[in-house]
Every structure is written in structure tokens, then in C-alpha cells.
Amino acid sequence: MKLALNLSACAFALAAIATAPVYAQTQSDATDQADQNDGGTVDDNVIVVTAQGRAQVLSDVPIAVSAINAEQLQKSGASDIRELNQLAPSLLVSSTGNEANGSARIRGIGTVGDNPGLESSVAVFIDGVYRSRSGNALSELGPIDRVEILRGPQGTLGGRNSSAGMISITTAGPEFNFGGHASVSYGNYDQFRLEGGVTGPLSDTIAARIDGVYLKRDGFYNDVVNGTDINNKDRYLVRGQLLFEPNDGLSIRVVGDYSKKDESCCAATFVQPEFAQQARVSPGLDSFALPQPGAPALTDAANPIIPVLLALGQNSNALTQSTFNRDIYVTPGRSYAGETEDFGASVEINAELGNLNLTSITGYREYSNFQASDTDYTQVDILYRAPNENAGSREFKTFTQELRLQGSAFDDKLDWLIGGFYANEKLETRDNLRFGSQYGAFAPCRVVNAINPALADPSSSGCLSAGGRAVLQAANGGAGAFGAATPLIFAGLDNLAQINDKGTILDVYNQKSENFAFFTHNIFHITDNLDFTVGLRYTNETKDFNAAFSNDNTMCPIQRGLFTPLLSSGVAPLAAGIIGLSCQGNSTAELDGVTLADSRSESEFTGTAILSYKPTDDLMLYGSYSRGYKAGGFNLDRSALTSSTLGNPALTGDTANLQFDQETVDAFEIGAKYSTREFSLSVAAFRQQFDNFQLNTFNGSVFLVQNINACSDDLGGADIDGDATTGACSADNVKYGVVAQGVELEASINPIRHVNVSMGLTYTDTSYENNLVGRDTGTPLDPALRLLPGDNLSNAPELTATASLSYTPPIGNSGLTGLFYVNARTTSDYNTGSDLLYGKEQDGYTLVNARIGIRGPDDKWAIEGWAQNLFNINYSQVAFNTPFVASQQTYSAFLAEPRTYGLTVRTRF
């Protein structure tokens, strides 16, 4: 535990160098208002946001918002949404086996992104256009005008997939004054980044802008076997814009962009006890049992699967080296190569129609990604995806249209807004996941280990030598260890040994989603100091699903035919194990040529009610209720067709098993905001209750998608046992299963000229209720999730603090200025695994970024040295079950980036 250390670091950070979550670009209307209120002088702490669909001063907005402007983003070095972590304590963005799987969390709530069928809990909008998944924004963003992070459900204006919050990014737009910018950076890992752009008028009414970014960097992992590096960067972005303003009452902005990434991602290393103290062998090799202090590491030979890996060619260094030794040992010839394309266009129209304002935002986007992988993350060839366009591929084609009309009534006592939204999203995923060339040598050893690890011989067919077979046949006085079934067990092991380079040829899933909504958001000015805000949204969503499978694992149906009769005998566990390993994840030729289709439809009302009061011009108090919604959908994974692999999925599989229900949240919040020229402070206390919380977790073999609720009755521990049949609840007694509650503070101070200090602190208890069940019908919780009841959610630290210090002093009378900027983020301990297994813990840590430089007159040029993760802190993004590597399940981790540093030269004109 490092909580005490990090609390000290947090206290130091809050006292000395604070984070900057409270700056955004001012807009003309709100700035004019600020000018009038302050005798024509704009306060440094006047911040303007559009969180409520209108330009408002941040201190007048009665919701929890963090806002960051272009200067703060530049100083922090943020170039994609993951780097916003340093600037917003309630936000955490991470990625797993593919950057397209990136997940954003706010107040500890988010979606694990490994299944594209699950939509994001944190909606991401760029220039007002919805991005289909938050991972789509894990790329270069180019010049940014501002970022707004809205905390808590945004069900009125944010729509169906903002149950945890929303990230709104506004890129820098065209200007009618000619200008440009350019920068070049070079850093360690041979990092080279080039950014540039130009803007200016094409006529008196048309302005244009074009920006580009190119980034290339070596990877953080060294693939010892194949002589290459992994987790590199090789990407670029081009964005062009036009702005048409024929008069003061009409503005049309057209944006088009294209980006591409050709990168190898994402490698992992084995988790060791020196990093996660509980990554040790548990009593009875039971991953759900707490390991004893001093027990052997999970990668020690005391775990019977480890000698099997070594015998099949695994380099022992991978099993004994530090978690953060970035040498990796993967299968010869296997690749992590991938490609991502993202492009689209949008048109935003703002028109004054008399006393009314009309806004129209039309967007079309296409996003595609594939990523090859050595999917077992070992040197033994157990599971892989070949490097082509079908490797875990996803393709989105999304059209969105939003209309908003707003105005005032009753002598400006009512500020009203009405609108509508339509989205048409087509998603296609493809996969080519196959058993590797050594699966047949590896898989039987898992069965033999369950019988007697001393008999395991990976060099022999079925992992049993002739001597081992003789021992088992001679048992029980010659009747055989398994009686009359002994020869059949031998045959099953030999059959299992033949499953090499078999499995998926091509699985294709298509999902079409149509969504429309109508909404209204209204602010009643009851008095000059008292406002009542009410919003309501109706959303209707339809999803059509179809799938087609192609598979050449013909051994699965043979094994099922042989061993199904034994499932009611004394050797049922062995029979089930052989079938399971032969048909893992419903990878079977029985699905070859099979097609499926289904559809679902849902509708939901969401909204908000806020009462706010300003006892003085500088202070606002508010209390609110809001309801959010996240769409249900389909688990795009054939493994979920059946509850187990014992039945033929072509016969017993049901698309109803693929469905998960919509998630809803009821949120309550009280807060205060105080703002003056020198100082600003905001405080919020919140409680959020989630029904049908959508959880996606990997159990070492397949991904599980389950809704999480709780039962108001005491289940007597039936939700924490290993029995899938116990723990049901009457539907009438089902309640919310997840609660996020806590307190947030944000502050900014300008103590002297040229100095800004900002800080943020979030305490959140984001946890599962006790007596958990699955769907709201009261079905039992999946046994793989039996550590969840009463514990915190994964990646949800209770305490997070961020802090920053910016100092830009003039250097004599030369016109030059200096730059000193540092920010820090500290967190308490948390578990990174969505199943909360022991050994996936992350101790608390503190990250510090810094930048120092010199700038020319009027900031026309600058030279800056910078460092990210200045003190080279080792931490992981996610720990997960290493696929198939069990007698007791071992864990691997996707590591966060090590220290990077370099030099940037920039200019503008």
C-alpha cells in the first residue's frame, strides 16, 4: 500500500503546483457580458463554455464542468484525449489490447472497450459531432480551441451514451486574419513530430484553414524473438476548414479531416509480485482465493502450467523478469501490426432568425481499424490473429444530424431551447482468431495437470507419455484411473492434440443502429438571482444485427459426440474440460456457414432539473437531479451464443444470449462556484445510482458481457460462490447495482502577475452494491464476477488529485519571456481488472510532467524542453488474464508509457 505516500504527494501538489482544469476559450457574446460586468476588463478567471448548449461563463453554469483551453493543452503536451488525465482529476482514459478499445471513465464509471458492441459511457464530441466510441479519439487532434469535460450524466443535451459524462472538443477554426503556425519536436525513442497550419481569408466572407500533424516514434517494447519494437507510433492527420460569414446573422463552418495510423500495438508482460503483491499462487490454485504472503509467483513452476510453457519453448526470462522489463518473448513470426483510418466531414450552421437562433450540425464519419496479435502474449503459439484486414477489425460508418432552436420569452425570464437528433450508424466487425500451431501440444496438458501434474509430458501426444498412460491404465487394480472411460479419455487427449492452426476463417458481424431523439432545455429566471433549469429528452433506438461464421475446427463436434454421454458420469469434469478446450469460445466447424439475425428496439426518457442561486455576483449555489441512459445492444462475440461450450451452438445457440439491456443512472448533485479576478473555486458533491450497469470482462478464455444489478433481499452469499445456478432474486426486489458518490474540488489562483496555480481533487467511492445479480429480471451473477459484491469498480481510485504551476516571466526589457510549467497527478490504489481478481492491483502513484522554455516577442517563436512522466514512474493501464495460461490463471499487463523527453521549436505568424 502506498496510500500514505501518495496522500503526502497529493498534499504537496495541492499546496505547491496545481492542475489546470478550469480554462476555456472565451467566446464573443459571453466575453462581452464579462466586459460589461467588469467595467470593460476581462478577468483572467472568466471562462466561457457551451455545456448547456449556450455560451455561458463557467461560474454561472450549474453543473460540474472542467474546461481546458489551447494554451493549457500546449503547455501540458496533450495531443489526444488520454493525455487529458493530467488536467482533470475525475477523468481517466486508458487503452488495452488495441488503441481502438480505449475507454474513458469519469468519476470511476466507464465502459471497458474490448467489445465494439458496447457503446461508450463517456460520449465524445469533436466539433459537435458524435464519435461512435471513445477509443476513436485516441489519435492526434491537431490545434484545439478548447476541451470541456462534463461530469455526471448528460442525458438532455449529450444524448444516449453519456451516462457517466461527456468530452466535448472544439478544434481551432478559420480566421479572417492571415496567420499560421509550425512546430517540430524531437525526443527519445527517436520521436519526431511535425505540426503546421495556415489560416486566412479567401474573400471578405470566406476564411479557410488547413492543419496537419505527423508523428513517428519507436516502440516501448522490444520483441526479442522477432527483432522488432512494439507500441510504436506512425500516424498523421490532415484537417481542412472553410468558414462562410456573409453577414452578422449567419455563420457556416465546414470541416473535413483524414487521419491514419500504421502501428504495432499492443504488447504485454507477465505481472509479477514485485509490482502486484498478490500475483501469487493461491491455495488450491484457486484464483478467487486470497494468496498467502510469500507464496510463489504465478509464473513460478509451483503453478503447474509454467513447466508446460517452458517445455514448449517459452524463454524463462519472460516468466522471471520484472513486470516493467519491456523485453517481450512472443511466437516467432507473429505480429502486432495494425492499421487505423478515420475520416469525415461536418457542416455547422448558426443562423439568427429574428430573435431566434438556429444551430444545425451535420456529420458523416468513417472509422476502420484492424490489429494483428500474438493473442496469448507468450512464446508458445497458442492463439493468434494474422496481420490482415480481418484481424479483430471494426468499421464504423456514422451519419448524425442535430438541430437546435433557442430564444427567450416573457421579457427574458425564460431562456428556452428545443432540438432534435438523428444518428444512423453501421458497424461491421470481422475476426480471424485461430488456435496456434502449438495449441494441440498445450491444451491437453491443462487436462493432464488436472489429473496429476507429474504425468504431464508436452513432448508426447495428448501430453501423456507411454509411461504416463501405463500408470493411469494400471490404476484401480488395472481397471484404469477412469474405469471403462480410461481409453476414451486417452483418445480425447490425442484428438485435442490435433487442433493446430484451426478455428476462425472469418467471422463477420453487422449491426445497424438508428437513433432519433427530441429534447428541450429551459432556464427559468425566477428572480435576478434564482434560476430553475429543466430539461427532457426522448430517445428511440433500434439495432439490427446479423452475423456469419466460417470455421474449420472439425475436431470440436467429434469431441462433443464422444464425451457428451460422459457428462452424467463420474468423469464429468474431465469430459467437460476436454469438450471445453476442444470448442473454446464456440470455435467449431458446426458454425461454418451459419448465419444469424436479430433486432432490438428501446426508448427512454432522460432529463435534468436544477435549482441555482447567486447570493452574490461572485458565488453560485446549486442542486440538481439528472437521469442518463446508455443504449443496450449485442455482444459481438460468438462465445456468448451459449452459456457453455457443451452444447452445439448451431442448435442450442440463441441470439437472445448476445443481448444486453440499456443502462440508466439517476444522479443527484449539490455544488458551489466562487469566482473573482484572482481566485476561483468550485465544489460538487454527488451520488449516482446505476441500474443495469453494463460490464465487459475477460475471464481468460472469452469476454463476458453482463448487466449488473443488486437485490434488496439478502442472498446469503449466493452471489459470491462459484455456483452459476444460485443467487437469483425476485424481479420485484431488483435495484441499482452500482453507486458512484463523492466530492470534487477545483480551484485556480493568480497570486501575482505571470503566475497561475490551479488544482483539483476528487474523492469518489465508486462501488458495487452487495447481493449482486445480473439482469433486472433477477438472474444470478456470473461466477466469474463473484469478487465484485461490495468492492470498488476497476480503475476507480478513491482519491485523485491534479495540480499545475505556470510561470511566464518577462526577461528584462528584451520582449522575451520565459516558460516554466509543471503538472502532477496522484492517485490512490485501485484494481485494474474488471473481475477484481487478486494480483491485478495498482498501487497509488504520482505522475509529473514539465516544460521549460523561452519565447520570443508576442510569442512569435519558442524553444521548449519537455518531459512526460518526468520521474519514470512504472504503472499499468490494465492487468488481464493471460489467455489460456492456467492451471491457476496468470496475469499480463498493458503497461503505461515510460518517461519521454525532448525539444520543441515552434513559430507562428
Side-chain angles (χ1 to χ4, degrees), residues 23 67 98 231 260 330 444 831:
Y23 283 93
N98 183 333
N231 285 42
K260 187 174 183 180
V330 300
N831 193 311

mmCIF file of all heavy atoms in Angstrom, residues 23 67 98 231 260 330 444 831:
data_model
loop_
_atom_site.group_PDB
_atom_site.id
_atom_site.type_symbol
_atom_site.label_atom_id
_atom_site.label_comp_id
_atom_site.label_asym_id
_atom_site.label_seq_id
_atom_site.Cartn_x
_atom_site.Cartn_y
_atom_site.Cartn_z
ATOM 1 N N TYR A 23 -9.829 26.228 -17.630
ATOM 2 C CA TYR A 23 -9.641 27.287 -18.606
ATOM 3 C C TYR A 23 -10.269 26.894 -19.928
ATOM 4 O O TYR A 23 -10.112 25.791 -20.381
ATOM 5 C CB TYR A 23 -8.152 27.562 -18.831
ATOM 6 C CG TYR A 23 -7.580 28.346 -17.703
ATOM 7 C CD1 TYR A 23 -6.976 27.707 -16.638
ATOM 8 C CD2 TYR A 23 -7.696 29.724 -17.678
ATOM 9 C CE1 TYR A 23 -6.478 28.421 -15.585
ATOM 10 C CE2 TYR A 23 -7.188 30.436 -16.617
ATOM 11 C CZ TYR A 23 -6.581 29.794 -15.572
ATOM 12 O OH TYR A 23 -6.092 30.488 -14.521
ATOM 13 N N ALA A 67 -12.897 22.703 -17.879
ATOM 14 C CA ALA A 67 -12.657 23.296 -19.189
ATOM 15 C C ALA A 67 -11.180 23.627 -19.334
ATOM 16 O O ALA A 67 -10.548 24.129 -18.412
ATOM 17 C CB ALA A 67 -13.499 24.552 -19.370
ATOM 18 N N ASN A 98 -5.817 -2.939 -27.942
ATOM 19 C CA ASN A 98 -5.895 -2.219 -29.197
ATOM 20 C C ASN A 98 -6.302 -0.800 -28.839
ATOM 21 O O ASN A 98 -7.226 -0.603 -28.052
ATOM 22 C CB ASN A 98 -6.946 -2.890 -30.103
ATOM 23 C CG ASN A 98 -7.046 -2.255 -31.470
ATOM 24 O OD1 ASN A 98 -6.745 -1.080 -31.645
ATOM 25 N ND2 ASN A 98 -7.493 -3.026 -32.441
ATOM 26 N N ASN A 231 4.368 -1.183 -29.901
ATOM 27 C CA ASN A 231 3.798 0.044 -29.336
ATOM 28 C C ASN A 231 4.526 1.276 -29.861
ATOM 29 O O ASN A 231 4.805 2.215 -29.123
ATOM 30 C CB ASN A 231 3.790 0.028 -27.807
ATOM 31 C CG ASN A 231 2.713 -0.873 -27.223
ATOM 32 O OD1 ASN A 231 2.496 -1.981 -27.712
ATOM 33 N ND2 ASN A 231 2.054 -0.410 -26.188
ATOM 34 N N LYS A 260 -4.565 8.671 -40.291
ATOM 35 C CA LYS A 260 -4.196 7.270 -40.498
ATOM 36 C C LYS A 260 -3.092 6.899 -39.530
ATOM 37 O O LYS A 260 -2.211 7.715 -39.214
ATOM 38 C CB LYS A 260 -3.732 7.034 -41.936
ATOM 39 C CG LYS A 260 -3.490 5.561 -42.256
ATOM 40 C CD LYS A 260 -3.173 5.351 -43.732
ATOM 41 C CE LYS A 260 -2.998 3.861 -44.044
ATOM 42 N NZ LYS A 260 -2.691 3.623 -45.468
ATOM 43 N N VAL A 330 7.613 -13.371 -27.801
ATOM 44 C CA VAL A 330 6.387 -13.816 -28.452
ATOM 45 C C VAL A 330 6.725 -14.905 -29.460
ATOM 46 O O VAL A 330 7.890 -15.236 -29.702
ATOM 47 C CB VAL A 330 5.669 -12.636 -29.132
ATOM 48 C CG1 VAL A 330 5.307 -11.557 -28.110
ATOM 49 C CG2 VAL A 330 6.523 -12.025 -30.236
ATOM 50 N N PRO A 444 -3.927 -30.208 -24.153
ATOM 51 C CA PRO A 444 -4.084 -31.454 -23.381
ATOM 52 C C PRO A 444 -3.375 -31.397 -22.021
ATOM 53 O O PRO A 444 -3.805 -32.064 -21.075
ATOM 54 C CB PRO A 444 -3.462 -32.517 -24.285
ATOM 55 C CG PRO A 444 -3.522 -31.945 -25.655
ATOM 56 C CD PRO A 444 -3.336 -30.479 -25.478
ATOM 57 N N ASN A 831 -7.774 -1.409 -8.408
ATOM 58 C CA ASN A 831 -7.632 -2.657 -9.145
ATOM 59 C C ASN A 831 -7.912 -2.373 -10.608
ATOM 60 O O ASN A 831 -8.899 -1.707 -10.939
ATOM 61 C CB ASN A 831 -8.606 -3.711 -8.599
ATOM 62 C CG ASN A 831 -8.291 -5.123 -9.096
ATOM 63 O OD1 ASN A 831 -8.106 -5.351 -10.279
ATOM 64 N ND2 ASN A 831 -8.239 -6.071 -8.173
#
